[in-house]
Amino acid sequence: MDQNTWLQNFLTEDGVKPEVNKIENVKNFTLLWNLFERFFCDKEGSLSKIQQNLTDLNNKGYTLPPKSFDVPYNYFRERYITNKQTNLIFEKLDFRDNKTEQAFKQSLKNCLEGETTVDYDKLSALLIITSRFRNNLFHGSKNIAKISEQEESFAKLNNTLMLLLDFLKGSGKLSSA
């Protein structure tokens, strides 16, 4: 039995079969996260490490390609903001209650609710979202039977990771890990 058929059979709930043919972006996300964590995070993909590396790039004067992260940022802003405030979908990012994750949640909330035009702030927000998607996917919080409903979100996250990795490669800033 092929893997997609097995997944579809295993994940069928109440006669509803998941659309495993519509999860290519979810599958690709796992590989792109691996590359991101290896080359940008020196194999430590914590939010603190990600933020430190972004800050280091910014402090060293590396300029992100202008507006290159606008499309995925605007997508998630529309997804997580209703009437200029974060909504219930935002809460499903499922930040842990520890002090560090709550600080990142507040930072993300401030960015999404504000009117930021700074490319590094947008990228920071996107990487916080990416990290939460990663944790929720890899630690079993996402309902895999309904994961195809998030195909567009994963496509936007994949685009973010590819843009960042291409920028780093072009700038000679990929780690040697």
Side-chain angles (χ1 to χ4, degrees):
M1 177 179 308
D2 71 79
Q3 294 168 16
N4 283 345
T5 302
W6 183 90
L7 284 168
Q8 194 168 40
N9 290 339
F10 186 83
L11 296 171
T12 297
E13 294 177 3
D14 300 323
V16 177
K17 292 187 177 197
E19 298 183 66
V20 294
N21 61 327
K22 294 184 179 179
I23 60 169
E24 195 65 26
N25 286 307
V26 178
K27 291 176 180 180
N28 289 341
F29 177 80
T30 61
L31 297 174
L32 289 165
W33 178 268
N34 178 284
L35 294 172
F36 168 75
E37 191 165 342
R38 178 179 180 185
F39 291 114
F40 184 67
C41 302
D42 301 318
K43 301 178 185 173
E44 182 198 329
S46 69
L47 283 171
S48 297
K49 178 73 169 188
I50 292 167
Q51 189 59 53
Q52 181 60 53
N53 287 354
L54 276 178
T55 300
D56 289 348
L57 279 177
N58 194 24
N59 289 344
K60 290 177 182 174
Y62 285 89
T63 305
L64 295 170
K67 302 187 182 295
S68 58
F69 298 98
D70 283 1
V71 170
Y73 176 80
N74 291 335
Y75 168 83
F76 284 105
R77 190 164 190 232
E78 288 176 21
R79 180 176 169 81
Y80 296 134
I81 299 294
T82 305
N83 298 323
K84 298 184 180 184
Q85 294 183 349
T86 53
N87 56 31
L88 205 53
I89 299 170
F90 175 84
E91 292 303 322
K92 291 182 180 180
L93 285 172
D94 200 21
F95 285 86
R96 293 184 200 113
D97 288 332
N98 65 49
K99 186 177 177 181
T100 301
E101 288 218 7
Q102 288 304 305
F104 282 109
K105 180 181 182 179
Q106 188 61 48
S107 173
L108 176 58
K109 181 177 178 168
N110 292 344
C111 188
L112 293 172
E113 290 178 347
E115 294 296 328
T116 188
T117 58
V118 178
D119 291 322
Y120 269 101
D121 291 344
K122 290 177 183 179
L123 179 55
S124 176
L126 286 167
L127 292 178
I128 292 169
I129 293 166
T130 303
S131 175
R132 293 313 312 145
F133 265 70
R134 177 255 183 231
N135 286 354
N136 292 337
L137 176 66
F138 291 177
H139 296 292
S141 297
K142 291 223 176 270
N143 181 346
I144 299 301
K146 295 182 178 183
I147 199 78
S148 64
E149 295 172 6
Q150 295 188 353
E151 181 74 354
E152 186 175 4
S153 294
F154 278 100
K156 300 297 187 207
L157 296 173
N158 290 350
N159 188 44
T160 298
L161 293 173
M162 290 184 301
L163 285 168
L164 177 58
L165 288 166
D166 282 344
F167 166 74
L168 295 169
K169 186 175 184 180
S171 301
K173 293 306 300 172
L174 286 181
S175 87
S176 58

